[in-house]
């Protein structure tokens, strides 16, 4: 009987975590995707996970420039080599909507940059993301970013 308990517990635990992820709405999954992509890619510069967040044909519209996957990787590699400042992101989601296999979200993105415990820069952007559902889950296909007006 003891031999059956451990496999049963393993199955129940695995099912519970899978079910919990499925309970998240598509809107929340897209918002989580945005937050996690910034934490992994733009805060830790972990390019090994870029495919977990972006489609291969991603386009980022960044302050008058169009970035494709190669440009994004180059920017992140350069930032990592420079030992860029520590970055902390905060998001204020305005609207998120899903229609079948495509969704979008509009949000404020606040980033605080610091080095040696001292804040050296704070930036506020307004951004939008278009995400598509893939067989691996939601991925960002387009991100449009521009600086928010100073108040």
């Amino acid at each position: 009987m003891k031999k059956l308990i451990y496999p049963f517990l393993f199955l129940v635990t695995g099912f519970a975590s899978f079910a919990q992820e499925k309970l998240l709405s598509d809107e929340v999954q897209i918002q989580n995707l945005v937050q996690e992509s910034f934490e992994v890619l733009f805060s830790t510069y972990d390019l090994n996970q870029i495919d977990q967040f972006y489609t291969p044909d991603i386009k980022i519209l960044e302050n008058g420039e169009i970035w494709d996957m190669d440009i994004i990787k180059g920017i992140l590699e350069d930032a990592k080599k420079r030992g860029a400042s520590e970055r902390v992101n905060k998001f204020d989601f305005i609207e998120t909507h899903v229609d079948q296999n495509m969704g979008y979200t509009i949000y404020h993105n606040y980033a605080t940059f610091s080095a040696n415990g001292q804040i050296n820069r704070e930036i506020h952007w307004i951004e939008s993301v278009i995400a598509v559902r893939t067989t691996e889950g939601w991925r960002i296909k387009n991100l449009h970013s521009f600086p928010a007006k100073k108040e």
Side-chain angles (χ1 to χ4, degrees):
M1 183 69 176
K2 281 186 178 180
K3 290 180 182 180
L4 293 176
I5 289 175
Y6 292 111
F8 177 73
L9 287 175
F10 178 76
L11 285 173
V12 169
T13 304
F15 177 75
S17 62
F18 175 77
Q20 187 173 6
E21 185 172 314
K22 287 296 186 188
L23 291 177
L24 295 177
S25 69
D26 288 328
E27 290 82 3
V28 170
Q29 289 179 51
I30 290 172
Q31 291 174 1
N32 288 345
L33 175 69
V34 169
Q35 291 180 58
E36 291 169 13
S37 72
F38 276 91
E39 294 306 318
V40 171
L41 301 175
F42 290 96
S43 293
T44 66
Y45 309 107
D46 185 354
L47 288 174
N48 293 325
Q49 296 188 56
I50 200 164
D51 295 335
Q52 298 297 312
F53 303 105
Y54 294 162
T55 62
D57 60 345
I58 176 83
K59 297 292 185 283
I60 295 181
L61 308 177
E62 179 70 29
N63 210 17
E65 298 178 348
I66 300 173
W67 298 354
D68 62 12
M69 185 67 87
D70 291 334
I71 293 171
I72 296 165
K73 286 179 178 178
I75 288 168
L76 295 175
E77 287 169 350
D78 288 347
K80 188 172 187 172
K81 285 178 192 171
R82 281 194 323 268
S85 301
E86 179 182 337
R87 176 178 174 154
V88 176
N89 303 290
K90 178 182 171 285
F91 298 91
D92 180 13
F93 290 93
I94 299 166
E95 179 180 347
T96 305
H97 179 75
V98 173
D99 186 9
Q100 297 179 358
N101 293 322
M102 185 173 282
Y104 70 85
T105 187
I106 301 166
Y107 55 94
H108 293 271
N109 180 355
Y110 303 90
T112 302
F113 298 87
S114 59
N116 302 321
Q118 296 287 85
I119 295 174
N120 54 27
R121 191 166 53 141
E122 294 179 306
I123 302 178
H124 172 201
W125 296 273
I126 298 174
E127 299 178 338
S128 64
V129 157
I130 296 173
V132 293
R133 189 188 322 263
T134 70
T135 55
E136 294 83 25
W138 288 101
R139 298 293 184 268
I140 297 171
K141 187 170 186 69
N142 178 259
L143 188 155
H144 182 202
S145 176
F146 59 91
K149 287 185 179 180
K150 304 275 186 204
E151 293 183 24

